[in-house]
């Protein structure tokens, strides 16, 4: 390697480190490789070589270097941690966890190990293990507010709301100004439909941080959800005058639309969403267009509703909004009397949705829209088969019964339709059928 051949081991390592700092990983790797050649008995050169290789996505070479470091010093916890990191990049969670545990057993007990390990446990749906692991990170750095927030989120994902609230209370005792704690507490109580408690918490937060537009927006959401439309309007009037309102104006407009829909003032709801769409640039605002499509359809403005449906249907990526747009575009065409064109689209969609559900069997809504496509073209047996599958997936949800009621209604079996509606309402009393 030219002039570098005359350098000592330590000079090679030092210069390689500097090259790593300026992200010249290729040249750094050359210096570390030369250092390994000069002193193959020293583990540090292997660790540096592994890091340079990993940054160049030379994962097998990185593993070789880190494992050589472990051969030299089998109790080097950092080397095991580095090996675990490579297995993260290789998408091998089993070997990653194995090496992270070896790192901990050999004294490497840093926050980054525990946060990485907790993230892996979350990916494989081991939420409780993730929480236990993140608790170790908090013991290492008890004044890291972000760790406690993440722990609370994990409890929420596991439906352990009391534990989440306890974690957030601990956070507030240490960091009274951590507004994220107010946000999460409010979310929990809204999810539990304890709106008075949610309102109490977010009101206290707004009083503490008067000029925080995000907290004001959260309060508006709570008020809208609990049906306190008048106070929600008052909060909207306040937040519109605050500095930074533009950053949350879209979200406030969506809450306005929900508010006006609750008051049966659909034209005002449409105007609110159209105001939100003024911020739309290159990326389609999927949520706003979906809401507008439904409002316009309810107002019997089928032409404009179809425009929004087609816009959603044209999205490149497969999402709940693109799938909804495709289905509703055909449904609105049928409403407009374009029966032949609509039925042709339904036939094409049932095939398209089936292929997509094979590629992504976890995309739950695809099964529902496939069912509805079968229903629209009179393939009632296939629609009912899918309803059975949906019930098997989520027997505690009302979806299967609600969908069956629609199928039986189209079949003219009104008694069976009524029976299914009753079961759906028993499972979800708020269901609007």
């Amino acid at each position: 390697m030219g002039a570098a051949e005359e350098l000592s081991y330590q000079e090679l390592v030092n210069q390689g480190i500097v090259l790593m700092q300026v992200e010249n990983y290729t040249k750094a790797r050359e210096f570390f490789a030369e250092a390994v050649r000069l002193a193959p008995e020293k583990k540090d050169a292997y660790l540096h070589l592994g890091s340079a290789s990993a940054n160049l996505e030379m994962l097998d070479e990185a593993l070789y270097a880190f494992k050589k470091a472990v051969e030299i010093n089998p109790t080097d916890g950092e080397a095991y941690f580095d090996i675990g990191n490579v297995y993260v990049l290789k998408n091998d969670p089993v070997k990653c966890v194995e090496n992270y545990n070896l790192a901990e057993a050999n004294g490497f007990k840093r926050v980054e190990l525990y946060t990485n390990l907790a993230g892996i446990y979350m990916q494989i749906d081991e939420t409780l293990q993730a929480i236990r692991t993140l608790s170790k990170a908090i013991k290492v750095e008890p004044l890291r507010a972000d760790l406690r927030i993440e722990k609370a989120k994990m409890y929420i994902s596991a439906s352990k709301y009391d534990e989440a609230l306890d974690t957030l209370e601990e956070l507030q005792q240490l960091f009274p100004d951590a507004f994220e704690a107010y946000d999460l507490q409010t979310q929990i109580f809204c999810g539990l439909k304890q709106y008075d408690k949610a309102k109490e918490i977010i009101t206290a937060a707004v009083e503490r941080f008067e000029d925080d537009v995000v907290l004001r927006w959260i309060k508006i959401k709570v008020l809208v959800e609990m049906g306190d439309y008048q106070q929600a309007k008052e909060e909207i009037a306040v937040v519109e005058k605050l500095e930074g309102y533009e950053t949350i104006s879209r979200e406030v407009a969506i809450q306005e639309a929900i508010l006006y829909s609750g008051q049966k003032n659909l034209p005002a709801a449409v105007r609110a969403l159209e105001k939100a769409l003024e911020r739309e640039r290159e990326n389609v605002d999927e949520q706003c267009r979906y809401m507008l499509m439904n409002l316009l359809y309810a107002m019997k403005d089928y032409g404009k509703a179809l425009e929004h449906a087609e816009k959603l249907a044209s999205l490149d990526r497969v999402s709940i909004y693109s799938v909804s747009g495709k289905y509703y575009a055909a449904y609105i065409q049928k409403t407009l009397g374009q029966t032949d064109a609509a039925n042709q689209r339904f036939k094409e969609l049932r095939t398209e949705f089936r292929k997509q559900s094979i590629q992504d069997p976890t995309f739950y809504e695809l099964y529902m829209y496939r069912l509805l496509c079968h229903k629209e073209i009179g393939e009632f047996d296939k629609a009912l088969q899918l309803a059975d599958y949906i019930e098997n997936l989520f027997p505690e949800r009302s979806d299967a019964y609600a969908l069956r009621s629609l199928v039986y209604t189209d079949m003219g079996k009104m008694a069976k339709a009524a029976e299914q509606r009753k079961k759906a309402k028993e499972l979800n009393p708020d269901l609007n059928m």
Side-chain angles (χ1 to χ4, degrees):
M1 51 185 295
E5 291 177 351
E6 301 174 2
L7 299 174
S8 68
Y9 167 82
Q10 195 58 55
E11 287 174 319
L12 288 165
V13 170
N14 290 344
Q15 292 188 23
I17 291 172
V18 173
L19 288 165
M20 289 285 286
Q21 291 171 349
V22 298
E23 300 182 5
N24 189 344
Y25 303 122
T26 300
K27 201 67 181 175
R29 186 172 181 277
E30 292 179 12
F31 277 76
F32 294 138
E34 181 65 11
V36 164
R37 188 188 68 78
L38 285 179
E41 75 284 0
K42 295 187 177 182
K43 72 177 178 67
D44 286 351
Y46 284 108
L47 291 174
H48 291 306
L49 179 62
S51 295
S53 300
N55 276 286
L56 292 168
E57 298 185 8
M58 302 168 65
L59 302 184
D60 290 336
E61 290 84 351
L63 273 180
Y64 173 80
F66 290 138
K67 288 180 177 180
K68 288 294 290 183
V70 167
E71 287 180 16
I72 295 169
N73 182 2
T75 62
D76 189 333
E78 184 175 359
Y80 288 112
F81 177 65
D82 290 333
I83 293 171
N85 290 338
V86 175
Y87 280 121
V88 170
L89 298 174
K90 291 173 76 72
N91 196 29
D92 190 336
V94 174
K95 288 186 178 178
C96 173
V97 170
E98 176 185 328
N99 281 279
Y100 278 170
N101 286 333
L102 284 170
E104 182 185 27
N106 284 281
F108 190 87
K109 299 181 179 182
R110 297 182 191 170
V111 165
E112 56 264 36
L113 181 143
Y114 295 124
T115 54
N116 289 3
L117 189 53
I120 292 170
Y121 284 133
M122 287 298 291
Q123 288 176 11
I124 61 176
D125 294 325
E126 291 288 345
T127 306
L128 296 181
Q129 186 63 39
I131 292 169
R132 285 192 286 270
T133 303
L134 196 61
S135 296
K136 294 181 180 180
I138 292 171
K139 286 183 179 179
V140 175
E141 293 191 26
L143 296 181
R144 282 273 300 273
D146 61 312
L147 297 177
R148 295 176 186 273
I149 291 168
E150 191 60 34
K151 183 178 178 181
K153 289 179 180 178
M154 288 180 181
Y155 274 129
I156 293 170
S157 70
S159 299
K160 292 185 171 293
Y161 303 117
D162 289 340
E163 291 87 343
L165 290 169
D166 289 342
T167 301
L168 293 170
E169 287 178 10
E170 290 174 5
L171 173 63
Q172 286 179 314
Q173 289 174 5
L174 288 169
F175 305 98
D177 289 344
F179 70 86
E180 297 94 338
Y182 294 102
D183 179 12
L184 290 174
Q185 286 173 318
T186 302
Q187 288 184 40
I188 291 169
F189 285 116
C190 280
L192 297 172
K193 299 189 183 301
Q194 297 180 24
Y195 296 115
D196 289 338
K197 186 65 176 176
K199 180 181 175 181
E200 176 188 331
I201 289 170
I202 198 61
T203 298
V206 168
E207 290 174 354
R208 188 179 186 91
F209 309 98
E210 292 183 358
D211 297 327
D212 192 295
V213 291
V214 174
L215 289 174
R216 292 269 181 186
W217 162 60
I218 294 169
K219 184 176 181 181
I220 291 165
K221 284 177 61 179
V222 172
L223 293 169
V224 170
E225 194 166 341
M226 66 192 299
D228 191 344
Y229 299 139
Q230 183 55 43
Q231 191 174 350
K233 287 181 180 180
E234 293 171 5
E235 285 292 332
I236 290 171
V238 172
V239 78
E240 286 176 338
K241 299 174 183 176
L242 293 178
E243 184 180 348
Y245 167 68
E246 281 301 309
T247 61
I248 49 100
S249 60
R250 172 192 174 274
E251 285 70 22
V252 172
I254 289 174
Q255 294 306 311
E256 278 190 282
I258 298 171
L259 182 159
Y260 285 123
S261 296
Q263 293 181 324
K264 309 300 181 185
N265 187 349
L266 301 190
V270 167
R271 287 194 296 272
L273 289 172
E274 288 176 341
K275 182 171 65 176
L277 275 183
E278 292 174 2
R279 299 178 63 85
E280 185 183 61
R281 296 293 181 264
E282 293 181 5
N283 296 326
V284 174
D285 191 329
E286 301 173 11
Q287 183 183 9
C288 283
R289 287 191 177 273
Y290 177 78
M291 293 174 69
L292 264 172
M293 175 188 71
N294 284 287
L295 285 170
L296 291 165
Y297 186 88
M299 293 170 63
K300 299 185 178 180
D301 191 342
Y302 302 127
K304 285 188 177 180
L306 183 58
E307 288 178 16
H308 291 291
E310 294 286 15
K311 188 73 173 179
L312 293 171
S314 68
L315 293 170
D316 291 334
R317 67 187 188 88
V318 178
S319 70
I320 181 58
Y321 292 110
S322 67
V323 170
S324 300
K326 288 176 180 180
Y327 170 79
Y328 281 109
Y331 187 79
I332 295 168
Q333 279 187 310
K334 189 170 184 177
T335 303
L336 288 168
Q338 302 170 18
T339 307
D340 291 341
N343 285 340
Q344 181 59 36
R345 287 184 83 162
F346 283 129
K347 290 176 183 178
E348 293 170 356
L349 288 174
R350 77 183 166 181
T351 303
E352 179 182 338
F353 293 164
R354 181 175 180 273
K355 289 179 180 178
Q356 290 171 347
S357 63
I358 292 173
Q359 293 171 353
D360 184 1
T362 64
F363 196 158
Y364 174 64
E365 290 81 5
L366 278 171
Y367 299 107
M368 294 195 290
Y369 282 117
R370 276 177 60 192
L371 183 156
L372 291 170
C373 288
H374 284 303
K375 179 185 83 73
E376 292 299 332
I377 56 179
E379 296 178 348
F380 300 126
D381 288 344
K382 291 182 178 179
L384 291 172
Q385 286 175 4
L386 278 171
D388 291 342
Y389 179 70
I390 290 170
E391 182 183 355
N392 288 331
L393 280 177
F394 298 105
E396 74 285 357
R397 290 172 61 161
S398 62
D399 299 342
Y401 302 102
L403 291 165
R404 277 199 203 95
S405 74
L406 297 177
V407 176
Y408 283 132
T409 298
D410 279 12
M411 295 174 70
K413 298 182 177 182
M414 308 312 288
K416 285 191 172 183
E419 178 185 345
Q420 294 298 309
R421 279 197 299 274
K422 181 180 178 183
K423 289 182 178 179
K425 292 286 285 184
E426 288 173 356
L427 289 169
N428 183 6
D430 297 328
L431 191 64
N432 184 19
M433 292 188 67

